[in-house]
Structures are given as C-alpha cells and as structure tokens.
Amino acid sequence: MKNIVKSRHAFEKAKAVIAGGVNSPVRAFKSVGGTPVFIQSGKGAKILDIDGNTYIDYVASWGPLILGNANPDVICAVSKTMEKGLSFGAATEQETELAEMIISFMPSIELVRLVSSGTEATMSAIRLARAYTKRDMIVKFDGAYHGHSDSFLIAAGSGAATCGVPDSPGVTVSTASNTLLANFNDIDSVNNLFASHKDRIAAVIMEPVMGNMGVILPQKGFLESVRQITETNGALLIFDEVMSGFRVASGGVQKIYGIKPDLTTLGKIIGGGLAVGAFGGRKDIMQMIAPDGPVYQAGTLSGNPLAVAAGLATLKIIKEDCDFYDRLEEKTSRLAKGLCDLCKEKNVPAVVNRIGSMLTLFFTSKVTVNNAHDARSVDKKFYAGYFHQMLKRGIYLPPSPFEAFFVSSVHTEDHINQTINAASEAISAIKS
Ligand SMILES: *Cc1c(COP(=O)(O)O)cnc(C)c1O
C-alpha cells in the first residue's frame, strides 16, 4: 500500500470546510471507496500526490489534457497572456482566433459562442433550440451526461411513462416533464417519443459517442437515423462533443461519422485545462442569441483570456502535427488490446470499448456494451478492487467504473507497457 498519510489528513481538513471535501463528487472516490489522493503537481503523463507518490495519469483532468500535464507550450502561452491581465470583460482578438480555429475544424459550426463550462454550453444550446423551434421538450439518452443543469438531471420514468423524472432532489417535476429519455442505439425508442409527442420536441441532445457511462459507440446507422428523424420532425440535433470534440478526431465524432448536427457543444480540450465551454452551429440559429437576437446568454468570464490562450495553444499543436491522432490511436488501441487479451487470459469477463484515445474497460459478462443498461451490468466491486490495485501500482484510473480512460500525446510505449503489466498483477491480486 502506498503511503497516503498526507492525503488522508488533507481530506479530513477539506471535509471540515468543503461540502463532501471535494468540489465535484467523483473526486471523493465514493464509488471505489478509500481516501482520494490529493494532487500536488503534474508533468507530462504523470501526476504527483502530496505524499510524493507518482502515477501514470489516465484521467487527464477528465479529458482536457490531450497533451498531458503542464505542456510547456500551453504554460508559456498562458504565462505570456497572464502578464497582460487576467480578464477584461471586453472583447479580445484571441477569442476570434479561437473561434476561427474551432470553425476550421468543425464545418457544421458557422457561428460560435464561448462560455466557461460544458454545463453552460449545453444549457444555452437547449434554450436556443427551444427558442428557435418554439417547442418545449427535449430528448436525451439514458446514461448520457450533459453537465449538471436541471433539464439534464433526469432519470427514466417508471413503466409506461415516457416523461423523465428528476434524478436529483431540487429538480422540479415540471422541469423533468419536459425532458424525454430514449435509449442509445435503439432507434425505435427515439421514433416512439416523436410519435407520442408530435410537434412538441425542440431537440435531441446526445453524446454521439457516449463517454459518461463509459465509452459506448453508436452502432452502424444509428446517428444517421437520429439525424433523419430530427430533420423530418422539425427538431434540432445537438451533438454534445464536450468530451469527444478534439479527442476522437480533430473534427470530433461528427467528422468520423460524417453527420452534420444543427448545434454542437464543446468544452474540455478547447480550454487546454482551464475553464471553458462553447456552443455553435447553424448561422440562422446562432443569430437568435443576444445581442443580434432575443435569446439571452451572457458570462462575466466568457472567453476568458487565459482559457482562450490555453485552448488556442493546445489546438495549434494539434493542427500543426498531421500524425497527432494516428499516433494517439495506435497507442490507445495497443492499450485496449493489451487489456482485452489480459482479461481473456485470466478468465475475467470484460468488454473494452474504444474510440480514438478514449476507452473503457467494463467488467461485465455481457458480450457487448451498447447502451446504459448494458453498462450498468458491470461488476462495481471488481472495478473498485481493480482501481485500488492499480493505484497502488502507480496507475491513476478514473475512480468510477462508468468513466473513460484518456490517453494523451505524452504517454509512451513504456507507460502503456507498465500499465498492462500493472493490470495483470492487479487482476491476479484481486482473484487470489
Ligand atoms: C464534461 C461534460 C460536460 C460538462 O462539462 P463541464 O465543463 O464539467 O460543465 C457536458 N457534456 C459532456 C459530454 C461532458 O463530457
């Protein structure tokens, strides 16, 4: 067991003044148990905790750090910007540069608006979709995460009810009643909602590759069918690419599958590790936002100079390196294959889903994981054991079985090999 005395102490201290001791729930290690390690610093593929333990980092700040921790070019860009002032609440040229960069990668985006988080991006996108279509209801998929605003914290209603119910106290029943839930990779579930709520659905919002129930890929034709149904019914299609944008490919999932959503939400990588979000899409829709149109949306720190500098520096590196995604893909597929082979060899029922540099190792006896229902079949206890065995061996995985592992450009062959070896020992340790 690693020495985590200082982390234990830090957690106790934090709990006295921060609700639950953390500023975002997953950080508390509730689903894997134990004490969260407190991080002191990160460099490249590694993070260092306050007790002096180092870990190979597969959380990557939950996705943004596609260049690894403390990339020198990103740090340099932020430092230079910082010296000129932290925030003005007025327009800067760099915001335009970041917008141009985003649009150059994602042609479905004609106009964009920068915000400060993915949550703000999705919240604003559905307001806009409702205004544009003059309809109230939205459809989301079971298990998808679109940030923590009320309209998205919705669980499936029981039995025949098609309307969602609040998934958190504090979300009103009336808000929940405007969010309908469909099942990923089940086009009939989407069709049924449109049939039973004719002319009332403003938009379908989806992670075109699910990442927040673990990685789940769309089956052949699924995204195309959703595109078609929304179009036929006069509803908008919103791709929430906060996680997948610039992660699976420069142009996101929409580029890989060749689908053009009406609106796209972004975050994570486009902020290079600082607080950012963005939403954008068709010009005729985006022009409805204030000041050009009547749909209100604003932010004191929107387009913050530091976040924009970090995002721009990150995207420039990606843009200038034509093999960037190929190399990431190659490394991550080796990791995925290594884990998959290992589980077979050790008779551990598992499914590995991967796209680009994101993957999830599901400990399940299902043959495939194609929706939230499949994902929920995972052996949570086994994952908790695996997580701690890996942590002990210096591998920092997401502290929840329903998250993606992220590989960054600075993970080396050696890191991948170390990880597979650690996984082998970890599984043996749990089974013994
Ligand atoms: C992370 C995430 C969000 C929320 O972004 P925050 O910046 O944490 O508010 C929304 N949608 C998806 C798909 C995400 O992965």
Side-chain angles (χ1 to χ4, degrees), residues 352-398:
V352 178
N353 282 352
R354 180 194 67 84
I355 182 167
S357 55
M358 53 196 268
L359 72 86
T360 298
L361 167 56
F362 295 98
F363 292 116
T364 173
S365 44
K366 295 222 179 239
V367 181
T368 53
V369 175
N370 288 325
N371 53 41
H373 179 77
D374 294 343
R376 288 188 188 105
S377 72
V378 297
D379 185 339
K380 295 193 197 98
K381 222 177 120 209
F382 194 91
Y383 186 85
Y386 178 73
F387 170 85
H388 282 289
Q389 290 294 337
M390 292 298 272
L391 194 68
K392 204 160 104 176
R393 291 171 173 80
I395 315 288
Y396 192 76
L397 299 178

Side-chain angles (χ1 to χ4, degrees), residues 26-27 29 31-32 37 39 47 55-62 335 339 359-361 363 382-407 411 415 419-420 422-423 426-427 430:
V26 72
R27 297 179 197 171
F29 282 22
S31 54
V32 291
V37 292
I39 306 303
I47 50 175
Y55 307 90
I56 301 175
D57 177 22
Y58 287 103
V59 173
S61 188
W62 299 98
L335 176 61
L339 296 172
L359 72 86
T360 298
L361 167 56
F363 292 116
F382 194 91
Y383 186 85
Y386 178 73
F387 170 85
H388 282 289
Q389 290 294 337
M390 292 298 272
L391 194 68
K392 204 160 104 176
R393 291 171 173 80
I395 315 288
Y396 192 76
L397 299 178
S400 157
F402 303 113
E403 300 285 355
F405 305 7
F406 298 104
V407 175
H411 283 89
H415 292 136
T419 306
I420 295 170
I427 290 173
I430 306 168

Side-chain angles (χ1 to χ4, degrees), residues 167 197 340 355:
D167 198 24
H197 299 85
C340 203
I355 182 167

Side-chain angles (χ1 to χ4, degrees), residues 174-292:
S174 74
T175 295
S177 69
N178 276 322
T179 301
L180 308 171
L181 265 90
N183 294 318
F184 200 70
N185 281 326
D186 174 2
I187 202 63
D188 288 344
S189 72
V190 183
N191 270 320
N192 290 342
L193 291 176
F194 274 100
S196 54
H197 299 85
K198 204 160 171 42
D199 299 333
R200 297 180 65 195
I201 297 171
V204 172
I205 183 167
M206 66 192 304
E207 301 178 68
V209 162
M210 292 238 273
N212 287 287
M213 198 65 207
V215 175
I216 301 177
L217 305 186
Q219 288 173 314
K220 200 165 160 21
F222 180 64
L223 296 176
E224 287 82 351
S225 299
V226 178
R227 176 64 283 187
Q228 200 187 347
I229 294 168
T230 46
E231 210 162 301
T232 309
N233 287 278
L236 300 185
L237 176 61
I238 305 170
F239 272 6
D240 181 356
E241 298 225 44
V242 169
M243 183 185 288
S244 57
F246 299 95
R247 169 57 64 182
V248 299
S250 57
V253 176
Q254 52 194 274
K255 181 179 175 189
I256 295 178
Y257 289 85
I259 312 277
K260 200 172 166 191
D262 301 297
L263 294 173
T264 299
T265 54
L266 295 168
K268 298 193 169 119
I269 289 175
I270 64 158
L274 291 178
V276 110
F279 64 103
R282 272 167 47 192
K283 198 170 195 164
D284 60 321
I285 305 172
M286 290 299 291
Q287 278 169 336
M288 288 190 71
I289 300 169
D292 282 354

Side-chain angles (χ1 to χ4, degrees), residues 131-147:
Y132 183 84
T133 57
K134 302 190 175 69
R135 298 173 179 180
D136 288 344
M137 298 184 129
I138 58 164
V139 172
K140 76 170 280 260
F141 290 89
D142 181 25
Y145 181 67
H146 303 294

